[in-house]
Every structure is written in structure tokens, then in C-alpha cells.
Amino acid sequence: MKERTIRALLFDFDGTLTKAGLIDFAGIRSAIGCPPGASILAHLERIADPKERERAERRLGDFELAAAERAEEQPGAAELVRFARSRALKLGVITRNSRESVDRSFSRLKGLAASDFDVIVTRDDAPAPKPSPEGVLHACAVLGVPPAEVMVVGDYRYDIEAGRSAGAVTVLLGGAQEPGRSPVEVEADHRIGALSELIGIIEGIPPPGASTRPSPARRSPSRRDARRSY
Ligand SMILES: [Mg+2]
């Protein structure tokens, strides 16, 4: 079987590149009348009265910007980005958050900058938000990388669903239940407790351009081989 290589990492933003728990999802839901567990963006879409929808969008924006003001990077995020760069991997962000909020968060982060990423897709951009695969496919097109050679990394089921639908390798970070969000019950290709664990996973995958013919050392099955195959 031909082994996959990985040419790009596409990250969710909130709770993945930044620390979890900053956005008050329960507060947002209560402010805009969105039932627990339902998609906040889908709820906004369903508000028929334009003025009421605009008011709800403003409230959502207020919560997001308040969280952005307190943004801190996820432990290991800066190291992972540096490692990925050293492997010549492309990097992207795909978020259901707004461009303004992401920009404001980046301005607060010390080890990460928007310029570290080759593509940033927010809900203000054309592709439909996650769990639609559109954002992942758009980012792949921008980066010139096939979805099968991309890892989608996120802390919520929408991230994993979007990545899987696009045909990418999926990585679930944490997956613990957050107040106001439903538990993450989704099967990802990899489950990690910290971003630093991704470095070891990527090191076990052949780099782009490496020969995919088995070397003598890898002819017999081993744990390392199993890890390299998806
Ligand atoms: Mg998230």
C-alpha cells in the first residue's frame, strides 16, 4: 500500500491554536436563543427577521471579541508551527469565528502570528463553515495540496467532520466536554492530549518526496510501520 505523506496542517483556531474555554458558548446560546447543542451559525441563518438576525450576530461578535481580548496560545502551538516549517509543511487556519476576532486574537499571541499561516479561512470568507468540508477543500486548493495529504487538527466534532468529509487525515485535540458544547463523540484518525504529540506523529510519516518503496529495515511489520499507514 502506498503510504500517505503529509504536506499541510490545517488548524481550527479557538481551543486548538488558542487555549480552550475562552468563548462562552453557553452565554452566546442564551443571548441569541439558540438551543443547547445546536449550531450557533445555523441558528443565526434561520432567524427570518433581518433586524433580529443582525442583533443576534452583533451579540455573537461581542462574545467572540471579548474572548479574543483574552486569547492565549495553546501550549506547544508555537513549537509545532516551527517544527512544521522546518519540515516545509504548509500551514492554514479554518475557523467558524470572524476575521476581526481572529486578527484580534493573533495580536495578543506572543508565539504565533497570522503571517505564520499560508491561508486563513474564516466565516467571513466564501466557503461554508465547518462541518462543511468546503473550507478544507478551499484551503487545499489555495495551497496546491491534495486533501489526502493534509492533516486537519481541531478540538471539536465539526473540525473532524469537515476534515473527514474532505478526505483529510484528522486529529482530535483533547475532546473534553466544554460548558455549552456537546461532548466530542467522533472518531478521528489520531487523538492527542497536547499539540506537542503531533510532532512525534508527523515524524513517523514519510516526508514529501521520500521514496515510498519499503527499505530493508521496514520490510517486517513493526509498530513504527503500523503508525505510518492510515
Ligand atoms: Mg475549536
Side-chain angles (χ1 to χ4, degrees):
M1 188 178 93
K2 189 172 184 292
E3 290 167 335
R4 281 193 194 188
T5 190
I6 292 296
R7 295 176 196 274
L9 305 180
L10 300 178
F11 293 96
D12 165 53
F13 191 70
D14 297 287
T16 299
L17 289 177
T18 63
K19 279 188 183 168
L22 288 165
I23 298 185
D24 179 4
F25 290 104
I28 293 169
R29 286 202 166 81
S30 132
I32 66 171
C34 176
S39 160
I40 289 166
L41 296 184
H43 175 78
L44 289 178
E45 291 276 311
R46 283 196 296 270
I47 299 177
D49 177 24
K51 280 200 176 134
E52 198 187 318
R53 189 196 297 187
E54 204 182 302
R55 218 167 22 240
E57 283 170 352
R58 256 201 318 274
R59 283 186 184 149
L60 168 62
D62 290 344
F63 273 95
E64 288 170 332
L65 288 173
E69 292 297 346
R70 292 179 286 125
E72 286 179 65
E73 66 208 41
Q74 183 77 246
E79 291 78 5
L80 176 57
V81 163
R82 277 201 297 277
F83 166 79
R85 284 295 183 199
S86 76
R87 299 268 293 206
L89 301 179
K90 305 265 190 200
L91 296 172
V93 172
I94 301 175
T95 176
R96 287 163 60 90
N97 208 328
S98 68
R99 175 71 57 168
E100 183 185 8
S101 175
V102 170
D103 285 346
R104 198 173 293 192
S105 292
F106 268 124
S107 74
R108 293 208 25 107
L109 303 182
K110 297 192 172 58
L112 290 177
S115 58
D116 289 324
F117 298 89
D118 304 292
V119 59
I120 296 178
V121 184
T122 73
R123 71 161 176 267
D124 299 318
D125 299 300
K130 295 172 286 189
S132 162
E134 274 187 30
V136 175
L137 296 174
H138 171 77
C140 289
V142 170
L143 299 175
V145 172
E149 297 182 356
V150 165
M151 270 183 173
V152 172
V153 187
D155 69 320
Y156 196 53
R157 64 185 168 91
Y158 290 163
D159 308 313
I160 304 308
E161 287 165 8
R164 182 186 299 145
S165 303
V169 177
T170 54
V171 182
L172 180 65
L173 171 66
Q177 186 170 3
E178 255 185 69
R181 300 195 104 171
S182 44
V184 180
E185 288 163 0
V186 69
E187 279 300 311
D189 294 303
H190 301 275
R191 198 162 185 145
I192 56 174
L195 285 182
S196 56
E197 291 172 36
L198 203 45
I199 292 178
I201 291 172
I202 294 168
E203 280 177 332
I205 297 171
S211 168
T212 55
R213 288 168 62 193
S215 64
R218 290 178 40 221
R219 274 192 190 127
S220 56
S222 67
R223 277 191 68 215
R224 187 175 174 82
D225 280 347
R227 208 174 56 212
R228 285 181 183 205
S229 305
Y230 290 97

